[in-house]
Amino acid sequence: MEQQRAQRAQDCLKAAKLLYSRFMVNAYEGNVSVRLGSSILITPSGVCKEELEADDLVEVDLESGRTIAAKPGRVASSELKMHLCVYKSRADVMGVAHAHPPFATAYAVAGLPIQTRAYPEMRVLYDHIPICSYGRPSTDAVNADIPGVLRTHDVFLLANHGLVAAAPSAIVAAYRL
């Protein structure tokens, strides 16, 4: 169990650092999580993704959203409710990544889904990326459309906000972004 936890923590860290290195998040925005059975590990609020270590990740109970374990000074991402909603909506999801890639975020701010017929890979992998209605971050309102969208899509936009991906691992979620 500890080995699996350590592997998932490393997956979470690798995904968070990838998003930072690819300029999909700035130092303090964006978040990544991984499922650990009945809990999740999530990146903390207010810590640069490039500097994250395994002990910075916050463990949270999947059902209640309560913190199980965190080193002093670390609190779960303000997007915790959104991550929990994704996991509760899809039992197959083991990793979630949320970022603000500039072009995708432009669509989110414009209130438009991403649709293209420009190249086959986009059509095969995504067809289109839907947009969820606006909800203030860290509130339940941000989750209103997520369960429905997750029935048919692994990647979606949050209106006026950014992009989210659900996947079998955090690194796959990051790559989907």
Side-chain angles (χ1 to χ4, degrees):
M1 188 63 161
E2 277 304 309
Q3 182 179 5
Q4 182 183 49
R5 177 186 166 82
Q7 288 174 336
R8 295 232 173 107
Q10 288 306 308
D11 179 54
C12 190
L13 293 173
K14 183 178 178 183
K17 291 177 183 199
L18 175 74
L19 295 178
Y20 182 81
S21 72
R22 300 270 174 95
F23 304 105
M24 298 175 80
V25 298
N26 70 26
Y28 304 113
E29 67 182 21
N31 32 76
V32 179
S33 66
V34 291
R35 186 193 300 256
L36 297 173
S38 61
S39 66
I40 68 168
L41 291 176
I42 190 166
T43 53
S45 182
V47 178
C48 179
K49 305 305 172 275
E50 183 179 44
E51 297 174 1
L52 285 172
E53 300 294 336
D55 66 343
D56 289 314
L57 299 175
V58 178
E59 186 173 3
V60 175
D61 182 75
L62 185 57
E63 198 55 43
S64 69
R66 291 195 184 117
T67 298
I68 296 171
K71 85 178 192 183
R74 296 295 184 247
V75 296
S77 166
S78 61
E79 300 290 352
L80 174 63
K81 288 183 180 183
M82 185 265 301
H83 285 255
L84 294 174
C85 180
V86 172
Y87 290 115
K88 289 177 184 179
S89 298
R90 294 249 314 260
D92 65 311
V93 172
M94 299 303 287
V96 176
H98 165 61
H100 306 117
F103 292 111
T105 301
Y107 276 88
V109 170
L112 299 170
I114 298 173
Q115 299 182 93
T116 184
R117 300 290 184 233
Y119 57 99
E121 291 85 353
M122 179 68 174
R123 293 181 76 180
V124 169
L125 293 173
Y126 301 107
D127 188 34
H128 81 283
I129 298 172
I131 187 163
C132 293
S133 59
Y134 178 76
R136 197 168 121 222
S138 79
T139 69
D140 289 327
V142 77
N143 300 331
D145 296 340
I146 292 174
V149 165
L150 283 172
R151 285 189 210 115
T152 55
H153 293 82
D154 295 327
V155 179
F156 56 91
L157 292 164
L158 296 170
N160 298 332
H161 193 131
L163 189 63
V164 179
S169 70
I171 195 65
V172 171
Y175 286 140
R176 286 181 177 171
L177 297 183

